[in-house]
Amino acid sequence: MVKQTIQIFARVKPPVRKHQQGIYSIDEDEKLIPSLEIILPRDLADGFVNNKRESYKFKFQRIFDQDANQETVFENIAKPVAGSVLAGYNGTIFAYGQTGSGKTFTITGGAERYSDRGIIPRTLSYIFEQLQKDSSKIYTTHISYLEIYNECGYDLLDPRHEASSLEDLPKVTILEDPDQNIHLKNLTLHQATTEEEALNLLFLGDTNRMIAETPMNQASTRSHCIFTIHLSSKEPGSATVRHAKLHLVDLAGSERVAKTGVGGHLLTEAKYINLSLHYLEQVIIALSEKHRSHIPYRNSMMTSVLRDSLGGNCMTTMIATLSLEKRNLDESISTCRFAQRVALIKNEAVLNEEINPRLVIKRLQKEIQELKDELAMVTGEQRTEALTEAELLQLEKLITSFLEDQDSDSRLEVGADMRKVHHCFHHLKKLLNDKKILENNTVSSESKDQDCQEPLKEEEYRKLRDILKQRDNEINILVNMLKKEKKKAQEALHLAGMDRREFRQSQSPPFRLGNPEEGQRMRLSSAPSQAQDFSILGKRSSLLHKKIGMREEMSLGCQEAFEIFKRDHADSVTIDDNKQILKQRFSEAKALGESINEARSKIGHLKEEITQRHIQQVALGISENMAVPLMPDQQEEKLRSQLEEEKRRYKTMFTRLKALKVEIEHLQLLMDKAKVKLQKEFEVWWAEEATNLQVNSPAVNSLDHTKPFLQTSDSQHERSQLLSNKSDVNARKILPSPCPSPHSQKQSSTSTPLEDSIPKRPVSSIPLTGDSQTDSDIIAFIKARQSILQKQCLGSN
Ligand code: ADP
Ligand code: MG
């Protein structure tokens, strides 16, 4: 058992605005526990806190300042936890802080750069790397991804996510067994055998989370997400299985309703927006107070799910994420205060071992049989019926294995059945007699043999054997030489043929050297067509593909509008940047693939040369009647060191290529995610524009708008033209608000009649119905509106 208090760390996010100095300081004296001091500016301190304190000091295990990168955070926080999970203990890492303070960035990672990947992908990478190294156990890994929003649980890996809205999905519910263990109904566990599969699940869950989110439910700031790695391990042949869970938790934003400051509220009075965070705080308070018998875990789903992580069987770590800007100081102080309470909680982690019930049943069955037999013996119950054929055969088998067993303590277990005991004795007697007869026969024949032969002297025998061996070697070498000569002659005759063969050889799949499995997985070739085809590098999740493929279902006009939307969207820069990086990585991988192939063939040549040299040496020895030289000559030494060098180079390049592969996959997933996000924002904007149009124009109200994305026929062309003429400028004017709030909808619906007759949206935003007649109506209507507008403009001038 490992007793440990919850470890607390702080991470300060780089400021969005220019650096505000003097707000906080970090004291990291090596001998002392690091502390973070938050200094309140005088103006704030006055109305801010009742006692007008100007500075607050909080202790943490370690504080990561703005410049700490993701790698450092992983190494210091997550790696030790992952290590104990590999050893069989439960682990939890949760990020707590206000919205925008970097919880998601820390737990999952940034959506832009590969280097920004957070704790989850790095932990997965680390765990799978360790599993690969350890061949002493059999490991199984499962992944689950739970979202808790408004006290309801949702399975982020549920395939129905793509078709349904959050509210329509089956809810994950909590079940408690008689031992008070928590089980989650409707939460699926997905087996992941590789890092790649696990990463796909992470991205799938994140994409589902993004899709389900609407401006109304704001899932990302109001929900808790729990990514869990379930690891079980067992030694081959053992009945004991170890289970460990690692929860990686991105909590909802911890901001409170009642902002302190102007109203002079006390910090402690402010209430969480999120009810379950309020219950989390209650649990933490109860746990940190001594002699509290009741801990209110059951009040909320989140505290129920994380019950073990809080004061239970788990090694738990909290990361307090802080956005230390002037306007966030109150929230930052709350976060730090919360962390101080959390640090008082003691957990007791134990190894979770379980015995395989099937093996236990087998053992118990055997025990029952033995007891029955014993009982029969004690009660004197006689068995009269003869043993069956099968029973006799079974007994003989038992005797054979008993006799073969080298263990002197082994026993012949036949139970307390006297019929069996007697049969064993009979059988053993028979075996013994048979053996005696056999021995007599062999002894007599051996002695006869010896009589007619001169005994061989040991030394002479060894000498003869050595000579024989030497001759054998010589013959082999000469045969090889002969073959070689013959081959040379053939090669001279068929030079052209050999060239072709060599060419084919250079095209053969590389990476055979070393680990053949890796070679299989990373079949990158120097041939350009294959090098470009990286599909083998990652089977990206089908959902991501489907989401990106949605574009093909849009009408042409809609696609065009999407193109413009995309061009003006901030994320397109990220996508383009990543595309560039991806391109670079591809070409680097391609170049590496080529160099690896070169190294491979060089290694082959060197090996060949060494063998040649060796044969030459031996042949020389034979022709000059000298013994085979024991030490390799200088030339051979040189070749060998070259070979070693080449192998090292090969290994380095191979490792780099492996890392590149992971990076490329990650970048592809990031880009997919960004694309899905962009598309989703476009859809929201498009739908919003359609609604606005309906609200604003009674003529269109009567039209059917239920199929806005379907392909249209002849009206398509007309609409595309309108788009290219008008939308360019207008679209961008509207674009800054891709996810308009309900508030903005309301405003537009209360516009005046004159405003109403002026089209405020780009023509591009008009949804087509798929029905060409209706579409022509819409377009005619727009044209009419445009001419009214033009007339009005002319009139007013
Ligand atoms: P939260 O999940 O707490 O609401 P996010 O993780 O979404 O906050 O962070 C908000 C923004 O700040 C994101 O754009 C994120 O990329 C950025 N960010 C957060 N922490 C860091 C950091 N340590 N370094 C760089 N950018 C960060
Ligand atoms: Mg977040």
Side-chain angles (χ1 to χ4, degrees):
M1 187 197 291
V2 183
K3 287 188 183 186
Q4 200 185 46
T5 51
I6 296 184
Q7 311 279 296
I8 55 162
F9 295 89
R11 185 181 197 184
V12 182
K13 188 193 123 170
V16 182
R17 297 187 196 143
K18 71 174 174 48
H19 190 68
Q20 291 167 314
Q21 276 186 336
I23 283 184
Y24 74 98
S25 70
I26 295 171
D27 187 2
E28 267 194 316
D29 190 334
E30 271 181 24
K31 284 176 220 122
L32 297 169
I33 302 169
S35 68
L36 171 77
E37 185 173 14
I38 299 180
I39 304 136
L40 287 179
R42 273 197 171 278
D43 53 331
L44 264 186
D46 274 349
F48 189 64
V49 190
N50 56 342
N51 57 5
K52 294 191 183 179
R53 260 173 71 180
E54 282 174 15
S55 90
Y56 291 80
K57 237 181 181 173
F58 303 101
K59 288 194 187 327
F60 287 93
Q61 228 87 38
R62 201 170 154 178
I63 299 151
F64 297 93
D65 207 353
Q66 302 171 17
D67 50 1
N69 62 20
Q70 298 282 62
E71 175 70 17
T72 316
V73 170
F74 167 75
E75 286 289 327
N76 289 280
I77 300 179
K79 207 171 173 180
V81 182
S84 53
V85 170
L86 284 165
Y89 295 97
N90 289 337
T92 298
I93 301 173
F94 69 92
Y96 179 98
Q98 70 185 108
T99 298
S101 59
K103 294 182 297 297
T104 306
F105 186 83
T106 302
I107 296 290
T108 309
E112 292 177 15
R113 279 178 300 270
Y114 176 66
S115 55
D116 281 349
R117 64 204 195 289
I119 285 177
I120 300 180
R122 284 173 196 269
T123 305
L124 286 173
S125 185
Y126 177 72
I127 285 182
F128 280 103
E129 193 186 303
Q130 297 305 309
L131 297 193
Q132 245 183 7
K133 279 187 197 162
D134 182 8
S135 54
S136 69
K137 291 199 190 88
I138 303 160
Y139 289 97
T140 359
T141 318
H142 286 87
I143 304 288
S144 65
Y145 205 175
L146 171 71
E147 176 169 27
I148 303 174
Y149 175 68
N150 255 350
E151 275 309 298
C152 291
Y154 302 96
D155 182 359
L156 281 175
L157 302 179
D158 188 326
R160 280 165 290 192
H161 236 293
E162 38 185 317
S164 339
S165 66
L166 202 61
E167 290 74 16
D168 298 334
L169 283 170
K171 311 251 183 308
V172 176
T173 46
I174 293 181
L175 302 174
E176 206 174 314
D177 67 17
D179 297 332
Q180 297 196 323
N181 292 316
I182 295 286
H183 301 276
L184 295 169
K185 200 181 144 200
N186 287 334
L187 181 71
T188 44
L189 297 191
H190 296 254
Q191 183 162 10
T193 47
T194 58
E195 176 190 347
E196 192 185 318
E197 283 175 14
L199 272 183
N200 273 336
L201 290 168
L202 168 69
F203 276 82
L204 177 71
D206 282 344
T207 312
N208 276 337
R209 187 184 185 191
M210 188 169 75
I211 291 166
E213 187 181 41
T214 65
M216 295 302 286
N217 71 23
Q218 286 208 337
S220 66
T221 59
R222 303 270 172 89
S223 69
H224 315 283
C225 279
I226 306 178
F227 184 89
T228 310
I229 306 168
H230 308 250
L231 194 70
S232 50
S233 62
K234 112 184 199 6
E235 274 163 24
S238 156
T240 316
V241 188
R242 266 185 199 175
H243 298 284
K245 271 188 271 186
L246 174 58
H247 293 307
L248 300 167
V249 189
D250 184 356
L251 289 177
S254 65
E255 51 274 13
R256 322 245 166 165
V257 185
K259 273 273 176 189
T260 54
V262 193
H265 282 285
L266 298 186
L267 269 172
T268 45
E269 277 180 12
K271 291 282 177 291
Y272 286 106
I273 293 176
N274 195 296
L275 196 64
S276 55
L277 278 181
H278 164 71
Y279 289 125
L280 174 66
E281 186 168 33
Q282 286 197 343
V283 166
I284 304 281
I285 289 172
L287 283 167
S288 57
E289 283 173 2
K290 275 182 191 162
H291 316 302
R292 274 282 286 263
S293 57
H294 175 68
I295 311 292
Y297 290 114
R298 285 212 185 95
N299 279 351
S300 86
M301 179 162 195
M302 201 241 308
T303 47
S304 301
V305 175
L306 295 181
R307 192 169 70 184
D308 264 346
S309 313
L310 307 164
N313 171 19
C314 191
M315 302 218 187
T316 304
T317 296
M318 168 186 168
I319 308 170
T321 54
L322 303 165
S323 170
L324 284 168
E325 289 175 52
K326 199 170 161 185
R327 65 198 160 95
N328 292 331
L329 287 184
D330 49 352
E331 294 294 355
S332 304
I333 291 170
S334 292
T335 302
C336 292
R337 282 186 170 174
F338 182 81
Q340 307 302 298
R341 273 203 189 272
V342 168
L344 300 175
I345 299 175
K346 285 196 189 82
N347 279 6
E348 288 179 1
V350 289
L351 285 176
N352 308 295
E353 287 184 332
E354 192 184 84
I355 293 175
N356 188 339
R358 262 184 304 169
L359 293 176
V360 178
I361 291 170
K362 240 183 177 172
R363 207 189 65 213
L364 290 175
Q365 277 173 339
K366 198 171 154 234
E367 219 173 287
I368 290 170
Q369 191 52 48
E370 278 173 7
L371 288 170
K372 271 186 183 168
D373 290 344
E374 216 169 292
L375 195 68
M377 219 176 188
V378 173
T379 54
E381 189 188 315
Q382 290 292 319
R383 286 178 234 230
T384 49
E385 72 274 28
L387 291 167
T388 63
E389 274 300 308
E391 279 173 324
L392 291 174
L393 209 71
Q394 175 70 19
L395 274 178
E396 271 149 39
K397 262 191 202 163
L398 272 175
I399 294 167
T400 316
S401 58
F402 168 69
L403 291 174
E404 280 170 0
D405 195 342
Q406 299 298 316
D407 185 357
S408 55
D409 292 335
S410 72
R411 288 166 55 180
L412 179 57
E413 307 267 10
V414 291
D417 187 342
M418 289 317 285
R419 295 168 307 163
K420 288 183 180 172
V421 175
H422 287 310
H423 181 77
C424 282
F425 278 122
H426 274 297
H427 194 72
L428 280 168
K429 190 175 171 186
K430 187 173 167 274
L431 286 178
L432 208 68
N433 285 339
D434 288 354
K435 198 171 173 239
K436 262 186 198 159
I437 296 165
L438 199 76
E439 265 174 10
N440 281 341
N441 287 346
T442 44
V443 166
S444 60
S445 68
E446 262 177 18
S447 58
K448 258 185 250 161
D449 277 357
Q450 272 193 0
D451 285 345
C452 64
Q453 260 189 14
E454 278 289 308
L456 276 175
K457 276 184 195 157
E458 184 73 4
E459 209 177 321
E460 211 170 333
Y461 171 69
R462 210 184 303 136
K463 222 171 173 181
L464 281 170
R465 202 179 54 187
D466 284 349
I467 293 172
L468 197 68
K469 209 170 170 187
Q470 212 175 345
R471 291 289 168 268
D472 262 354
N473 276 344
E474 284 166 12
I475 290 166
N476 276 340
I477 290 160
L478 288 168
V479 167
N480 274 340
M481 280 175 75
L482 215 66
K483 273 188 193 163
K484 208 135 200 106
E485 286 306 310
K486 214 169 140 189
K487 202 170 150 206
K488 261 188 200 158
Q490 274 178 351
E491 278 172 356
L493 280 172
H494 305 286
L495 203 61
M498 191 205 75
D499 281 351
R500 271 202 302 280
R501 254 200 318 278
E502 268 201 354
F503 177 71
R504 267 207 299 278
Q505 216 171 37
S506 73
Q507 298 261 312
S508 70
F511 303 112
R512 284 273 164 74
L513 203 108
N515 185 347
E517 210 180 271
E518 282 170 336
Q520 276 259 317
R521 280 179 52 202
M522 300 183 56
R523 199 169 298 157
L524 284 171
S525 166
S526 56
S529 63
Q530 282 182 31
Q532 276 160 16
D533 177 16
F534 267 77
S535 58
I536 200 156
L537 284 177
K539 290 173 250 99
R540 277 178 288 160
S541 107
S542 64
L543 174 90
L544 290 178
H545 270 309
K546 252 186 258 167
K547 290 285 164 203
I548 296 158
M550 277 190 324
R551 232 184 100 192
E552 283 145 29
E553 287 163 26
M554 292 180 188
S555 68
L556 275 179
C558 189
Q559 277 185 35
E560 227 168 306
F562 180 59
E563 284 307 315
I564 296 160
F565 184 89
K566 198 168 79 179
R567 196 187 58 206
D568 294 330
H569 198 288
D571 281 359
S572 68
V573 182
T574 313
I575 296 177
D576 286 347
D577 283 355
N578 274 340
K579 230 185 233 169
Q580 281 307 319
I581 299 173
L582 204 57
K583 245 189 200 164
Q584 276 173 13
R585 298 293 180 266
F586 269 131
S587 44
E588 196 186 334
K590 189 183 156 196
L592 259 181
E594 279 164 6
S595 309
I596 286 178
N597 278 349
E598 267 169 32
R600 201 180 114 257
S601 66
K602 219 168 175 182
I603 289 170
H605 283 137
L606 282 168
K607 276 185 173 169
E608 176 78 0
E609 259 185 83
I610 290 171
T611 323
Q612 280 264 10
R613 183 82 198 160
H614 208 72
I615 291 170
Q616 273 174 14
Q617 290 290 309
V618 174
L620 201 73
I622 291 168
S623 66
E624 290 175 9
N625 218 358
M626 280 172 5
V628 180
L630 285 175
M631 294 289 288
D633 71 330
Q634 265 191 346
Q635 177 69 12
E636 196 181 320
E637 283 279 283
K638 210 172 129 194
L639 285 172
R640 278 190 194 283
S641 72
Q642 270 179 17
L643 180 69
E644 285 312 308
E645 178 56 35
E646 210 52 49
K647 277 186 181 171
R648 261 198 299 279
R649 218 168 68 86
Y650 177 91
K651 257 195 179 152
T652 321
M653 290 192 293
F654 195 91
T655 318
R656 171 71 191 134
L657 190 65
K658 235 172 135 181
L660 260 182
K661 175 184 172 256
V662 177
E663 185 174 348
I664 285 170
E665 273 168 17
H666 194 97
L667 280 172
Q668 282 176 329
L669 286 170
L670 282 182
M671 274 173 65
D672 283 355
K673 217 164 93 177
K675 282 180 193 164
V676 175
K677 181 167 165 255
L678 198 77
Q679 190 145 342
K680 195 197 152 216
E681 285 179 10
F682 170 73
E683 279 169 25
V684 171
W685 171 78
W686 179 265
E688 159 109 342
E689 290 301 308
T691 330
N692 282 351
L693 188 79
Q694 283 181 349
V695 171
N696 285 348
S697 50
V700 184
N701 255 343
S702 61
L703 299 173
D704 174 17
H705 286 285
T706 51
K707 296 174 278 175
F709 292 106
L710 292 180
Q711 285 279 0
T712 62
S713 49
D714 49 343
S715 61
Q716 191 69 65
H717 175 68
E718 233 177 316
R719 195 170 164 287
S720 309
Q721 266 198 335
L722 279 170
L723 242 172
S724 52
N725 294 343
K726 293 229 40 149
S727 68
D728 220 322
V729 185
N730 286 340
R732 248 171 296 168
K733 277 185 200 158
I734 300 205
L735 288 178
S737 164
C739 282
S741 64
H743 182 64
S744 69
Q745 278 184 30
K746 213 166 137 195
Q747 270 187 336
S748 59
S749 63
T750 53
S751 49
T752 62
L754 181 67
E755 282 171 322
D756 194 44
S757 65
I758 302 171
K760 288 193 286 307
R761 285 153 301 284
V763 179
S764 66
S765 66
I766 294 156
L768 293 184
T769 62
D771 171 354
S772 59
Q773 184 54 49
T774 321
D775 286 345
S776 323
D777 287 346
I778 297 175
I779 288 157
F781 168 68
I782 300 159
K783 282 185 175 169
R785 278 166 67 112
Q786 276 171 339
S787 74
I788 292 171
L789 175 69
Q790 272 167 356
K791 273 181 207 151
Q792 277 176 343
C793 289
L794 285 173
S796 64
N797 280 343

